[in-house]
Amino acid sequence: MVKGMADQIRSHFSDSGIDVSLEEIEKRLDLLINEYKVPEDEAKRTVTNYFISKSGAPKLQFQDSDTIMVKDINTEGQWIGMKAKVIQLWENKHDSISQVGLLGDSTGTIKFVSWKKAALPLLDEGKSYEFKSVVTDAYNDRFSVKFNHNTKITELDDEVNVSGGDIRIADISVEGQWINLRAKVLQLWDSGHESISQVGLLGDASGTVKFTIWASSDLQDVIEGKSYEFRNVISDLWQERFNVKLNRNSSIVEIADDIETGGSEGVAMRGAVVSILDGSGLIKRCNTCNRALFEGSCAEHGPVEGVDDLRVKGVIDDGEVVQEFLLNRDVIKNTSGITLEGAIKSGQDTVLGEIRDLLLGKYFEVNGPVVGRYMLINDFKDLNLAGEIDSLLQDHESPAVKDTPRVPEQEKNDMIDIVIDASNVAYWEDAKPKLGSVLAILDKLDDLGISYLCVVGPRLRHVIDDRVGLEKLLKRSNVVQSPAKKDADIFVIDYATKYDAKIVSNDQYNEYCKDHPILLEKGRIVEGLIFDGKISVPDLGI
Amino acid sequence: MQEFRRESAKRVFAQEFRESDLSFKESEDEYAPKYLLTPTAAKCNRVFVVGTLTEKEDIGMETEYWRARVADPTGVFLVYAGQFQAEATKVLEGLEENIDEPSIIAITGKPSTYETQDGDIITSIRPESIQVVDAKTRDSWIIDTAMQTMKRLKSMEGGEVSEGEGDIIAQAKEHYSTEVEYYKEMVSIALKTLEEVGTETIDMSGI
């Protein structure tokens, strides 16, 4: 840690043609951080300033850094200059901070922090400035800039043209990012809260994402089926899924193109439809905002005439997991032939009867993104479990039986060299857990002939991109699922202890280190990454 | 505030369901969910069953109150539906009783128990929904229920389980003195009825 920081400081000086001893820097950093418990940022700053004054270098010479664009910020601890607009000032919760918010230029946006100690003039939202001698910082791979008492701020007369990144839905991978989307409004849902003006689902060719428009944003209402450019929306992460929020800094422009929507990262589930809920069949939606009406009234716009629509709200259940789902007009039509026009002609009672006949009490394999409490089914097909009987009878370790983490008998005498924390590995490639990531490492280990046990946490099946694939994986004799309601980490650690095996995971299991000292052993936990589709676990030679 | 969570519908064969008589609540709260614990330790707040309607009768005095018998390969579920199960009652009422072509129905409902004058406990289902389905769905249910029952049996035989599951299993074992072999035999009987499979080929010993 100290070494890395010292290297950075030294290279800053050598960039300015000043030679400073690495040892000297390290010694002082070490003293401040480890002896005096000074925060790392502050230690770095203190030591840097010490050498600046010691070298007699005029401060400006060292800090007169190039003006760079937001997208080019890629190192931490770099002194830079930038021309940017204050897009937003955020609520400040820290006494040590004067202002915090978001800056932007034509290439992107970045968070800024202005320390109170720096005593800089206050920035106004919406104005553009030139900033000199700000320091870049990184937290969780996201960059920010910090203002200090060497920072110079000059207001610019010309407004800086701001553009967040234009991004595809599937590429949303960081929360709190300001982005622009070109997308189609696929669905509008009942908002259910007065602080929310609209909520629903956006789609582009790459995927779908939930969106929320805050009532305080004063933005126009969007209409289902139309395409828009959404500018300066914020990505957010909730229950392991991304969504986007639109606030008063966001804008919406309707576009003439019909955005093509395609692949949606769906979840698959198999089970029986155990209930068709109220609000199914023929419904009316508000003419203005598309909310489903309740007794002829829209929650937002009061009693309205309404527009007819057809949908199914139901529950699918596999005996363990319960999932509410929605079928929209198009899916109903494509799978049952029931059309809105036909439904209006035959009436609600008949339509509900047809829907029940079609779905209720039957087994299906369904597919679709889970957004909030609902799975938005875009594909469902009949499921005939009769085909499973052979494997059920032959496979003594049948999938259903093998849910609890038992090490299969034949494995007990063998050595297990590696325990894989599948619930961690699944996230190596993407913030959305991928089965492919787990399969990638298992395949490599199989190739290398390394014996392993793969532990799957009970929650993974609810979030994985390929649930059916995961169920298949669980049939393997060296893959186990840890029981529900219990922490999967404990099982990983217990097995690693029992077999004196390495753990493949990017988790440090900090909260368990005290009770499980083996975790602290060097090389016990093996980290890896998946980049560009290729898996890399250097410690295993992969 | 605890979020409302819908309870999943457990898959239990009729024989096991009829042999269940232990119901309980997990808290004193009036609205706390009620569970029926079965001999293989299925903790049921709700069940999903598919079977053949063999008999139905309106046994109500002043209002409609239907009793139906629904058979699976291992036994019979008793189903009682009255005015508070309007939707299910309507479906039941409309079904034709035909010995030559009986209806196969899927029922989602709540387990219910009552004690007779003799002190016997009768277990039945109060349906939330009833729907006519086909034989293919019935076969799928038999396999689904066989798999889920075997999974519970495996846990009972000493598979590693979570603390909560362990408590439930211990409770079931104490109350019913569950014989695992007996319920394996039940699963075997159910599977044998699926005609694709020859009756002699089933070896349940390893399950």
Side-chain angles (χ1 to χ4, degrees):
Chain A
M1 183 85 65
V2 167
K3 179 94 171 64
M5 280 167 63
D7 279 338
Q8 271 178 19
I9 293 173
R10 183 162 187 267
S11 70
H12 292 316
F13 279 97
S14 55
D15 287 350
S16 314
I18 300 165
D19 190 34
V20 182
S21 146
L22 194 60
E23 205 178 304
E24 293 274 301
I25 301 173
E26 260 182 63
K27 193 175 82 188
R28 287 180 170 80
L29 281 174
D30 185 55
L31 186 76
L32 284 170
I33 294 170
N34 296 324
E35 291 288 318
Y36 290 91
K37 314 298 176 201
V38 171
E40 285 168 22
D41 278 355
E42 187 58 23
K44 202 164 163 183
R45 205 184 79 93
T46 309
V47 172
T48 306
N49 285 343
Y50 167 80
F51 284 108
I52 288 173
S53 58
K54 192 170 171 247
S55 72
K59 285 194 175 180
L60 271 180
Q61 184 195 331
F62 178 70
Q63 293 158 353
D64 193 13
S65 43
D66 292 339
T67 298
I68 71 173
M69 305 305 274
V70 168
K71 77 168 168 48
D72 296 326
I73 296 174
N74 54 17
T75 337
E76 58 181 305
Q78 200 183 7
W79 292 78
I80 59 161
M82 57 195 294
K83 286 182 179 170
K85 179 176 172 177
V86 178
I87 297 174
Q88 205 180 33
L89 292 170
W90 295 340
E91 195 188 341
N92 176 14
K93 294 191 183 111
H94 296 277
D95 289 343
S96 59
I97 290 173
S98 152
Q99 283 185 307
V100 56
L102 195 75
L103 299 178
D105 64 17
S106 62
T107 68
T109 59
I110 191 164
K111 179 184 165 182
F112 78 90
V113 174
S114 181
W115 299 114
K116 198 158 266 175
K117 273 174 67 184
L120 291 165
L122 291 179
L123 305 178
D124 289 329
E125 211 169 75
K127 287 192 175 164
S128 299
Y129 301 87
E130 173 160 22
F131 302 91
K132 281 187 174 162
S133 300
V134 303
V135 183
T136 62
D137 193 13
Y139 179 71
N140 276 353
D141 294 336
R142 288 177 53 206
F143 289 100
S144 62
V145 288
K146 302 273 165 68
F147 300 174
N148 54 60
H149 67 257
N150 290 313
T151 301
K152 299 271 181 297
I153 301 176
T154 323
E155 191 178 335
L156 296 172
D157 293 333
D158 298 334
E159 195 179 329
V160 171
N161 192 11
V162 172
S163 157
D166 291 336
I167 196 171
R168 297 184 324 148
I169 286 171
D171 296 333
I172 300 173
S173 56
V174 187
E175 63 181 307
Q177 198 182 20
W178 292 76
I179 51 177
N180 302 329
L181 294 173
R182 283 167 66 87
K184 185 179 189 166
V185 178
L186 296 177
Q187 298 193 346
L188 287 169
W189 308 326
D190 313 341
S191 96
H193 200 281
E194 58 189 22
S195 67
I196 293 170
S197 132
Q198 285 186 303
V199 57
L201 192 73
L202 300 179
D204 67 13
S206 72
T208 58
V209 67
K210 179 187 168 183
F211 75 95
T212 305
I213 304 179
W214 298 116
S216 60
S217 69
D218 284 330
L219 288 167
Q220 68 184 90
D221 278 337
V222 294
I223 296 164
E224 205 170 74
K226 292 207 169 167
S227 298
Y228 300 86
E229 178 159 350
F230 299 89
R231 301 190 69 83
N232 293 328
V233 307
I234 311 175
S235 63
D236 189 18
L237 187 64
W238 197 73
Q239 291 194 342
E240 311 197 30
R241 287 185 169 271
F242 286 103
N243 64 84
V244 294
K245 300 262 169 26
L246 284 82
N247 63 24
R248 63 203 155 85
N249 293 296
S250 311
S251 63
I252 303 175
V253 182
E254 190 178 336
I255 50 180
D257 317 355
D258 183 28
I259 300 277
E260 201 177 307
T261 57
S264 72
E265 29 97 27
V267 187
M269 176 168 172
R270 308 167 81 173
V273 173
V274 296
S275 183
I276 302 294
L277 300 171
D278 287 349
S280 295
L282 278 171
I283 58 160
K284 284 203 186 281
R285 292 187 180 278
C286 176
N287 312 55
T288 313
C289 68
N290 212 41
R291 283 184 182 83
L293 302 185
F294 181 71
E295 293 179 347
S297 267
C298 168
E300 180 71 24
H301 300 96
V304 290
E305 193 188 337
V307 181
D308 289 303
D309 195 12
L310 188 60
R311 75 163 175 200
V312 177
K313 265 178 154 176
V315 182
I316 188 163
D317 179 325
D318 69 4
E320 289 181 351
V321 177
V322 179
Q323 178 66 58
E324 289 178 53
F325 66 82
L326 283 170
L327 297 179
N328 69 18
R329 192 171 59 206
D330 292 339
V331 178
I332 295 171
K333 185 178 157 195
N334 293 340
T335 46
S336 70
I338 302 172
T339 62
L340 178 58
E341 297 68 33
I344 293 169
K345 219 172 277 173
S346 52
Q348 169 73 337
D349 285 352
T350 309
V351 173
L352 263 186
E354 286 173 354
I355 289 169
R356 288 207 184 96
D357 287 347
L358 181 72
L359 299 172
L360 192 58
K362 303 211 169 93
Y363 283 83
F364 292 99
E365 179 167 333
V366 298
N367 240 301
V370 176
V371 185
R373 61 191 280 193
Y374 294 107
M375 173 187 273
L376 309 170
I377 294 182
N378 44 35
D379 178 36
F380 71 95
K381 55 173 181 275
D382 290 358
L383 181 63
N384 191 350
L385 287 174
E388 308 259 316
I389 189 154
D390 291 341
S391 64
L392 178 61
L393 294 169
Q394 283 161 13
D395 185 1
H396 291 179
E397 286 287 340
S398 93
V401 177
K402 221 182 95 326
D403 213 338
T404 48
R406 289 158 56 84
V407 177
E409 290 297 327
Q410 71 270 22
E411 293 279 342
K412 274 189 179 154
N413 301 322
D414 294 346
M415 285 302 297
I416 289 178
D417 295 321
I418 310 260
V419 176
I420 293 132
D421 184 348
S423 297
N424 181 280
V425 175
Y427 289 87
W428 280 11
E429 188 167 11
D430 200 313
K432 291 187 293 272
K434 291 201 159 114
L435 184 68
S437 304
V438 179
L439 293 175
I441 184 143
L442 299 192
D443 288 348
K444 283 281 182 195
L445 292 172
D446 286 336
D447 287 350
L448 293 168
I450 296 175
S451 68
Y452 61 84
L453 183 71
C454 176
V455 178
V456 176
R459 280 190 35 73
L460 191 62
R461 62 197 298 250
H462 306 310
V463 292
I464 196 83
D465 58 342
D466 179 3
R467 190 184 287 184
V468 174
L470 181 64
E471 303 285 356
K472 269 188 204 148
L473 180 67
L474 283 166
K475 290 184 185 180
R476 296 193 192 172
S477 66
N478 52 2
V479 180
V480 294
Q481 181 168 300
S482 60
K485 295 173 197 149
K486 194 134 189 197
D487 199 336
D489 290 347
I490 286 289
F491 279 87
V492 171
I493 296 164
D494 282 353
Y495 281 125
T497 310
K498 194 163 159 190
Y499 293 101
D500 192 25
K502 289 180 194 288
I503 297 172
V504 173
S505 173
N506 288 347
D507 191 345
Q508 294 300 320
Y509 306 99
N510 287 330
E511 62 269 47
Y512 302 107
C513 288
K514 201 167 141 260
D515 296 322
H516 302 270
I518 69 151
L519 294 169
L520 298 168
E521 291 169 25
K522 198 164 158 36
R524 175 67 65 185
I525 299 171
V526 175
E527 299 186 347
L529 61 86
I530 294 180
F531 183 73
D532 216 9
K534 288 205 177 66
I535 189 155
S536 164
V537 190
D539 288 359
L540 298 177
I542 292 174
Chain B
M1 193 183 78
Q2 203 186 343
E3 193 194 348
F4 166 77
R5 280 194 79 91
R6 185 186 167 100
E7 298 265 355
S8 65
K10 301 297 172 198
R11 319 293 208 246
V12 179
F13 283 119
Q15 177 189 330
E16 181 181 353
F17 189 75
R18 290 286 294 275
E19 287 166 358
S20 305
D21 59 5
L22 178 59
S23 56
F24 62 92
K25 281 180 166 190
E26 286 180 331
S27 85
E28 297 294 310
D29 185 47
E30 188 185 349
Y31 298 105
K34 198 176 162 190
Y35 296 96
L36 175 74
L37 184 64
T38 72
T40 66
K43 188 179 139 194
C44 313
N45 169 262
R46 174 177 279 124
V47 291
F48 174 67
V49 307
V50 178
T52 305
L53 179 70
T54 56
E55 191 183 297
K56 62 161 195 170
E57 190 184 353
D58 182 1
I59 57 168
M61 299 298 198
E62 281 158 22
T63 58
E64 268 188 294
Y65 193 63
W66 288 88
R67 180 183 63 199
R69 293 171 65 85
V70 177
D72 77 5
T74 71
V76 175
F77 292 101
L78 291 177
V79 178
Y80 288 90
Q83 55 178 329
F84 296 111
Q85 294 82 40
E87 190 193 310
T89 302
K90 212 171 108 192
V91 175
L92 207 51
E93 189 188 351
L95 287 177
E96 216 173 304
E97 225 178 329
N98 180 349
I99 188 76
D100 296 320
E101 208 182 318
S103 307
I104 300 172
I105 58 178
I107 301 169
T108 305
K110 301 277 189 176
S112 162
T113 51
Y114 73 89
E115 196 171 341
T116 65
Q117 283 165 346
D118 306 336
D120 289 340
I121 290 177
I122 306 291
T123 306
S124 62
I125 299 175
R126 214 170 58 237
E128 296 168 307
S129 74
I130 298 182
Q131 175 66 35
V132 176
V133 295
D134 54 12
K136 193 192 78 182
T137 301
R138 189 240 357 251
D139 291 351
S140 284
W141 179 82
I142 290 171
I143 290 182
D144 185 16
T145 306
M147 291 200 291
Q148 304 214 15
T149 304
M150 291 194 313
K151 177 172 158 182
R152 294 193 297 268
L153 288 170
K154 199 79 182 171
S155 299
M156 280 203 130
E157 280 187 313
E160 280 180 52
V161 292
S162 72
E163 215 170 288
E165 283 175 292
D167 290 349
I168 289 294
I169 290 169
Q171 209 178 338
K173 276 183 175 165
E174 189 194 324
H175 183 81
Y176 297 107
S177 309
T178 310
E179 287 215 33
V180 169
E181 291 306 318
Y182 173 76
Y183 288 103
K184 275 187 185 171
E185 181 58 26
M186 170 189 78
V187 172
S188 174
I189 288 168
L191 289 175
K192 277 178 189 170
T193 61
L194 298 177
E195 55 187 35
E196 290 88 348
V197 182
T199 48
E200 301 309 310
T201 61
I202 299 174
D203 173 13
M204 297 293 295
S205 58
I207 296 174

